Amino acid sequence: MPAALPCPTAGAARAVRIPLRCAKLHLAPGRLAPALLLLACASTPALAQSTDDQNAIDLPELVVSATGIPTPENEVASSVSVVTAEDIERRQQRTLPDVLQSLPGLNVVQTGGPGGQTSVFIRGTNSNHVKVLIDGIDAGNPSTPNGAFDFGQLLATDLARVEVLRGPQSGLYGSDAIGGVISVTTKKGDGPAKVTGHVEGGALGTFNQAAALSGSTDKLAYSFNVTHFSSTDIPVTPQNLVPFGYPTHSNAYDNWTYSTRLDYQAADALAVNFIARYIDSRLAFTPDTYPPPTYEGIPAAETSTSLASMFFTKGEGVWNAFDDHLVTTFGASAMTTSNPTSGPNTAVNGQYEGDRQIYYLRSNLALAPGQNLLMGLERRNEGMTSRTAYTEMDASTGNTGAYGEVQGSLGERFFGAANIRYDDDDTFGDHTTFRLAPALLFPETGTKLKASYGTGFKAPSLYQLYAPYYGNAELKPEESTGYDAGFEQQLWGGRVTFGATYFHNDITNLISYDPATYQNVNISSATTQGAETFVAVAVTDRIDVRVDYTYTHVVGYMPVGQPFGAACAPIDITSCTPLRRPNTKVSVTLGWRPTDELDLSASLVYASSWWDIVRLTADYIDQPGYTVVNIAANYKLTTHAMVFARIDNLFDQTYENPNGFLAPGFGAYGGLRLTY
């Protein structure tokens, strides 16, 4: 998606720094004033805190990613999960994979705990079919073979909000959004200057620290954050893979993350915003080796080191005209990444670098109450270089995109959005995608009916196009058509909410490996379908529980005579089961606040078995599932101090996800958080 779409920066409007009091709210002709919506998008925790004010308005939860326009959640037809900073702090989730683990429709796969390469599969689609945005900046890595983002590198300390949008979304977001979109927004400064920080220690040799300075003046909101995450003893390699007498080594991970967010109201009608994030991480890991004379795979006797440095930045202006009827955002975003690997195992050594720049212009016009027209343009340039002992590569490409969306309502019952996007890629030419998403509300019964239908595509990565021996410049984009339909029902004044959604996706032109030519080719396809159901209950004002159940069925197809490749376990001569997609996932989250000072939470995640590939061979395996329970406690000592503790994997479940990589076992952690 365009760099600015996923969460318009909050400094965009005059209402941003006005307290949320009835007498001071300005309601524009849209559903709510763009200024208020922008504030809500960027400062959800602040809105929650405002409920202590007797004059504050109890606003509905707002969703941004589904339409690019902040919209009350009950008016959104798309399937969206929202995680706030309050949720993250309550559950003591330290990384983005921790945040995503329990969400419906997602399967998170991490090679052995903190810092391990992490992929996310949405509704059974491939791991590179997920659009990832950090403050609106496209985070996909152009230097990796499939272009996917490594979720394991993103810490959660300064995250204000995570939205997971499921289903094909290329009509608004362009390439990559076949399975869905994960949009991350960082915290915005608000109120008097404050300093916060925490220190934490525990299992896996963990010692974490974080510090932040944030606040706002009449014209400037500021936030500066630094986080250090360190785990020095992460058991990863199963003992049964290690030959007798060979040493085993634990992984060690170290991550320093620095982030800045500035929102400046330059004039009544103009705001200027700046965002930057730098990630510097180091992972010591055990690679695989295949020594003669048998060339059978074994874990190496010595560790290798993988470094990762990523820089994301965005600068934009937001201009308001015609009494906030027209909000125009313009700017540029950029990202660079460098991933050198070194060590005694030369097979995994190399230097990989990538970069991307996006220039964008977007306008939202409030046509009438409840009616909006969103239009935008985007130019994208990206490149990569790689140097290994065997190959060298230097490639680049670009894309120009234009999109439009109409969002409207009829009375208080019917709400809908329709978008269309045209992309002109420098490599494979033009591509048009769209999405329709209507919702029907029955306030009398608390019922919501929803549906969506859309298309998606994934442009070939630079590696797939131009890699020595394997690249194929004639590749076409992978394409999808998908739909979902469901309902949500509230009972007893909203204390009980439940719902179900059926989804179906057909994906064509999937890129597979042709061993006859050693090249990537568009020859396979897949169908994913299933259901997501949930029930959420506010048992009392202090006890809440939510249960999510997801069923996913995925089948891949290949022409007769073509090999399936390593990513699909054969069913018969033309069909196969894509790897690492459990059929069943259940998650349960429980919260209990026995006193105003004490907050307790617990979560359970169950995943059924899935087909995987054995780490050291080309064999397929029906990988056993797992059940993991985590618990956490936060106790407020004073208005400035809080102690916290948690236990991950309470019952010490032993499991591998993926095969050959142990997930962390029982681990206890504790620490202190200070605010001044």
Side-chain angles (χ1 to χ4, degrees):
M1 139 73 236
L5 250 179
C7 200
T9 308
R14 285 169 287 179
V16 165
R17 284 172 293 280
I18 294 176
L20 293 178
R21 301 173 187 272
C22 297
K24 295 188 178 181
L25 284 175
H26 167 62
L27 298 180
R31 225 172 261 104
L32 291 172
L36 174 59
L37 291 171
L38 291 164
L39 172 63
C41 169
S43 307
T44 301
L47 288 179
Q49 293 164 6
S50 72
T51 56
D52 293 336
D53 188 333
Q54 61 181 356
N55 296 318
I57 291 179
D58 186 14
L59 294 174
E61 181 73 76
L62 297 171
V63 172
V64 184
S65 58
T67 62
I69 304 169
T71 304
E73 187 176 28
N74 65 335
E75 300 175 10
V76 172
S78 300
S79 296
V80 188
S81 296
V82 177
V83 182
T84 66
E86 184 181 36
D87 299 325
I88 294 171
E89 182 175 320
R90 182 184 195 187
R91 300 165 190 163
Q92 301 173 34
Q93 294 163 332
R94 301 297 177 233
T95 66
L96 186 57
D98 294 339
V99 175
L100 301 176
Q101 184 67 50
S102 63
L103 298 184
L106 275 62
N107 184 38
V108 178
V109 178
Q110 186 171 48
T111 56
Q117 183 171 345
T118 308
S119 302
V120 174
F121 302 81
I122 296 183
R123 287 183 170 178
T125 60
N126 288 341
S127 59
N128 63 336
H129 291 164
V130 181
K131 188 82 166 184
V132 181
L133 301 149
I134 302 174
D135 283 318
I137 304 167
D138 188 340
N141 190 341
S143 70
T144 60
N146 66 3
F149 175 67
D150 181 3
F151 289 84
Q153 306 305 315
L154 187 58
L155 304 182
T157 306
D158 67 332
L159 303 188
R161 186 178 182 86
V162 177
E163 291 190 15
V164 177
L165 174 63
R166 297 182 288 278
Q169 309 291 336
S170 292
L172 199 58
Y173 291 91
S175 177
D176 302 350
I178 285 179
V181 175
I182 297 177
S183 178
V184 172
T185 307
T186 58
K187 295 176 181 177
K188 173 182 177 290
D190 182 47
K194 66 177 180 180
V195 177
T196 61
H198 76 253
V199 61
E200 175 184 52
L204 308 181
T206 296
F207 185 52
N208 303 331
Q209 314 93 47
L213 170 66
S214 64
S216 63
T217 65
D218 288 342
K219 290 186 175 294
L220 176 67
Y222 55 90
S223 178
F224 305 96
N225 301 270
V226 58
T227 303
H228 178 224
F229 182 103
S230 177
S231 293
T232 60
D233 186 14
I234 311 169
V236 171
T237 305
Q239 192 62 46
N240 65 296
L241 298 185
V242 182
F244 178 76
Y246 258 57
T248 57
H249 303 282
S250 295
N251 282 13
Y253 181 62
D254 195 81
N255 181 313
W256 284 92
T257 295
Y258 312 86
S259 64
T260 298
R261 175 171 179 161
L262 302 173
D263 301 90
Y264 179 65
Q265 196 71 39
D268 284 348
L270 179 65
V272 179
N273 310 302
F274 173 77
I275 289 168
R277 171 179 292 265
Y278 178 68
I279 301 171
D280 185 16
S281 68
R282 176 186 183 276
L283 175 68
F285 69 101
T286 301
D288 299 331
T289 186
Y290 299 85
T294 62
Y295 296 98
E296 294 179 354
I298 57 173
E302 299 179 76
T303 60
S304 292
T305 300
S306 175
L307 305 178
S309 63
M310 291 177 274
F311 180 64
F312 306 90
T313 188
K314 181 176 75 171
E316 68 180 16
V318 184
W319 176 61
N320 294 280
F322 309 114
D323 198 24
D324 290 336
H325 288 64
L326 178 65
V327 180
T328 299
T329 305
F330 53 92
S333 68
M335 68 87 68
T336 60
T337 179
S338 177
N339 302 90
T341 299
S342 61
N345 189 340
T346 58
V348 299
N349 293 348
Q351 174 78 30
Y352 310 90
E353 298 179 349
D355 66 89
R356 178 184 297 110
Q357 304 84 40
I358 299 178
Y359 309 92
Y360 57 90
L361 171 68
R362 186 194 76 217
S363 290
N364 178 37
L365 177 63
L367 301 170
Q371 319 297 323
N372 291 278
L373 175 62
L374 180 70
M375 298 172 291
L377 295 171
E378 170 195 317
R379 173 61 192 179
R380 165 191 306 257
N381 300 308
E382 63 183 35
M384 70 159 291
T385 61
S386 68
R387 302 287 184 272
T388 71
Y390 311 104
T391 63
E392 294 188 4
M393 178 181 169
D394 192 339
S396 62
T397 189
N399 181 84
T400 301
Y403 57 92
E405 178 183 74
V406 175
Q407 183 186 29
S409 63
L410 295 175
E412 298 299 319
R413 293 185 182 276
F414 180 81
F415 303 89
N419 55 52
I420 187 169
R421 178 175 172 124
Y422 173 81
D423 285 280
D424 185 11
D425 191 274
D426 295 355
T427 302
F428 61 78
D430 61 342
H431 204 84
T432 301
T433 49
F434 68 92
R435 184 170 178 81
L436 305 171
L440 185 61
L441 302 184
F442 298 92
E444 302 85 354
T445 61
T447 305
K448 172 181 173 180
L449 304 179
K450 60 178 186 175
S452 69
Y453 182 89
T455 56
F457 80 101
K458 169 71 174 74
S461 70
L462 288 168
Y463 182 91
Q464 290 168 337
L465 288 167
Y466 304 118
Y469 312 118
Y470 309 110
N472 180 1
E474 302 301 317
L475 286 174
K476 300 176 182 178
E478 299 174 325
E479 300 176 304
S480 74
T481 299
Y483 61 88
D484 57 32
F487 76 94
E488 296 176 11
Q489 179 66 54
Q490 291 187 351
L491 299 174
W492 296 298
R495 282 197 168 273
V496 176
T497 305
F498 61 92
T501 300
Y502 170 79
F503 62 86
H504 183 102
N505 296 291
D506 292 313
I507 310 171
T508 58
N509 284 339
L510 283 169
I511 297 174
S512 302
Y513 172 70
D514 184 355
T517 62
Y518 299 100
Q519 285 190 322
N520 295 302
V521 289
N522 297 100
I523 56 173
S524 60
S525 61
T527 296
T528 79
Q529 57 187 329
E532 298 159 352
T533 64
F534 77 95
V535 58
V537 181
V539 181
T540 70
D541 290 341
R542 293 184 177 272
I543 301 175
D544 57 85
V545 62
R546 178 182 173 112
V547 181
D548 287 279
Y549 169 85
T550 303
Y551 175 77
T552 307
H553 179 66
V554 188
V555 179
Y557 302 98
M558 190 76 72
V560 175
Q562 290 287 346
F564 291 108
C568 215
I571 298 174
D572 53 37
I573 61 172
T574 61
S575 62
C576 62
T577 300
L579 307 183
R580 299 172 185 171
R581 278 83 155 177
N583 289 124
T584 301
K585 177 182 177 181
V586 178
S587 61
V588 181
T589 56
L590 172 67
W592 179 29
R593 295 162 293 280
T595 69
D596 291 342
E597 294 78 21
L598 180 60
D599 190 343
L600 306 174
S601 65
S603 66
L604 177 150
V605 175
Y606 163 77
S608 65
S609 62
W610 64 89
W611 281 101
D612 209 333
I613 191 166
V614 178
R615 174 177 170 178
L616 296 174
T617 72
D619 298 328
Y620 297 102
I621 184 173
D622 188 5
Q623 188 68 29
Y626 60 88
T627 302
V628 172
V629 175
N630 301 328
I631 58 175
N634 299 275
Y635 186 78
K636 192 173 184 180
L637 297 172
T638 69
T639 56
H640 301 293
M642 175 184 292
V643 292
F644 57 85
R646 76 178 188 278
I647 296 177
D648 291 344
N649 200 349
L650 176 63
F651 299 107
D652 199 22
Q653 169 84 80
T654 299
Y655 67 100
E656 301 171 18
N657 185 19
N659 175 272
F661 296 88
L662 287 172
F666 176 94
Y669 308 84
L672 173 68
R673 180 177 292 107
L674 299 173
T675 302
Y676 177 73

